[in-house]
Amino acid sequence: MAELDLVNRDPNNINDHLKVTFEDVLAEPEGNHAMDCVWSNSYKCFNCCKKLCYTLMTLCCGICIAAGWGCEFAYIAFVHIWYVTPCFKCLELNCGCLQKLWGMIIHCYYDPIFEACALCFSAFKKG
């Protein structure tokens, strides 16, 4: 098993859209400013509550949810290994037989027609 990176936990950047900062949510336009102490404490409160709530939710639910998703992807792998891939192989084999049958039908019915047409048109070339 590869070493778990505890610093960069999103190496493929699949959750870039979740990087929300205080400035992304709250902003005061010119002329509508709260007192500096309110604004700075709001910033601290926002970040503290966001971190604390996320920590509590992951502590209470993270392991169970991870186990659930692990089971989900194990089920998907199981279904693909034991059902989907064999079904595709079965289709591939059966379609190969149908392909041969279709080729024989085409050769039996259309080859004589095309040969006859070729003979007719070759007569125009000689004359």
Side-chain angles (χ1 to χ4, degrees), residues 44-117:
K44 292 172 188 172
C45 185
F46 175 87
N47 288 319
C48 180
C49 287
K50 185 176 113 176
K51 176 95 171 131
L52 180 64
C53 287
Y54 182 78
T55 301
L56 288 174
M57 287 187 286
T58 56
L59 180 66
C60 294
C61 305
I63 294 172
C64 294
I65 291 172
W69 281 114
C71 290
E72 176 70 23
F73 285 105
Y75 173 75
I76 290 170
F78 173 80
V79 168
H80 275 262
I81 291 166
W82 293 100
Y83 185 72
V84 174
T85 302
C87 282
F88 278 128
K89 191 61 172 177
C90 186
L91 282 171
E92 182 184 331
L93 292 172
N94 288 327
C95 286
C97 291
L98 290 174
Q99 183 180 14
K100 288 180 183 179
L101 178 64
W102 183 251
M104 286 190 292
I105 291 170
I106 295 297
H107 286 301
C108 288
Y109 289 107
Y110 288 113
D111 280 359
I113 294 170
F114 291 138
E115 286 177 17
C117 288

Side-chain angles (χ1 to χ4, degrees), residues 114-127:
F114 291 138
E115 286 177 17
C117 288
L119 287 172
C120 290
F121 287 119
S122 68
F124 290 118
K125 185 178 177 184
K126 291 181 184 175

Side-chain angles (χ1 to χ4, degrees), residues 14-29:
I14 63 173
N15 286 314
D16 269 351
H17 61 286
L18 296 177
K19 293 178 182 174
V20 179
T21 64
F22 178 78
E23 294 81 9
D24 295 330
V25 178
L26 297 170
E28 291 183 324

